[in-house]
Amino acid sequence: MLEQSFYQKADEIIESHGRMQRALIPIIQDIQNEYRYLPPELLSYVAKEIGITEAKAYSVATFYENFSFDPKGKYIIKVCDGTACHVRKSLPILEYLHKELGLSKDKHTTDDMLFTVETVSCLGACGLAPVLTVNEKVYPAMTPEKAGELLAELRGDE
Ligand code: FES
């Protein structure tokens, strides 16, 4: 059960785009930007408010890979495992992050909700391989050691 403030925020976002069926994607994008994920309760709420079925809203949200129904950490680390990054040893970076943060291929987010670690197939920056991003900021030529320094830096921000 979500707190009331989530529905208030959703109302604000719906108002800003207009209560129209065609505003579904921009509305749920803004909700995801706000919470770093798309709470399923809010997707149902938005569907009702703009007059579409829940099934339709779910089919749109699941069609786009960018929408996530799972809560994510404050820092979303995406490790590229596309071909260029893979041959330049992206895997040891991923293994390092998993070990350091107590994560695995089935557990992506730390319990303190600080970090989420995901893999992606190509970040479009192959010349800088191996690459990772933290909340869309690109970090080139990474190594496990540099990833360790980056974690320390991000933790230091807290
Ligand atoms: S393969 Fe990693 S950026 Fe393209």
Side-chain angles (χ1 to χ4, degrees):
M1 192 63 188
L2 291 178
E3 283 173 26
Q4 199 52 33
S5 64
F6 280 71
Y7 294 96
Q8 282 161 0
K9 189 73 206 171
D11 274 333
E12 271 173 41
I13 291 172
I14 293 168
E15 287 308 326
S16 75
H17 290 284
R19 226 164 261 274
M20 303 171 289
Q21 300 190 356
R22 66 167 191 274
L24 173 67
I25 291 177
I27 290 170
I28 60 179
Q29 250 163 359
D30 280 3
I31 291 175
Q32 174 153 295
N33 287 345
E34 181 72 24
Y35 297 111
R36 300 191 299 276
Y37 81 111
L38 179 57
E41 298 91 331
L42 288 190
L43 182 59
S44 307
Y45 181 72
V46 169
K48 189 167 81 52
E49 291 297 307
I50 64 173
I52 61 172
T53 63
E54 267 186 50
K56 168 84 180 156
Y58 272 90
S59 77
V60 171
T62 49
F63 177 79
Y64 294 99
E65 267 182 22
N66 259 347
F67 291 113
S68 166
F69 295 121
D70 296 318
K72 298 212 182 186
K74 177 176 178 190
Y75 299 110
I76 301 172
I77 302 175
K78 293 185 183 171
V79 179
C80 181
D81 198 32
T83 309
C85 289
H86 189 86
V87 298
R88 287 178 168 248
K89 302 204 181 334
S90 57
L91 214 50
I93 301 167
L94 180 67
E95 285 166 353
Y96 170 82
L97 290 171
H98 277 171
K99 189 158 165 262
E100 183 64 23
L101 298 172
L103 300 175
S104 68
K105 67 177 175 35
D106 301 315
K107 177 173 164 57
H108 301 286
T109 299
T110 54
D111 294 333
D112 62 4
M113 298 306 289
L114 200 52
F115 296 103
T116 293
V117 175
E118 299 175 336
T119 54
V120 284
S121 51
C122 179
L123 286 163
C126 310
L128 307 174
V131 179
L132 64 76
T133 59
V134 180
N135 298 353
E136 311 307 328
K137 181 171 176 197
V138 176
Y139 291 85
M142 288 306 284
T143 61
E145 292 71 32
K146 284 192 192 174
E149 288 163 18
L150 182 57
L151 285 184
E153 206 180 290
L154 296 171
R155 282 176 169 138
D157 275 357
E158 289 308 297

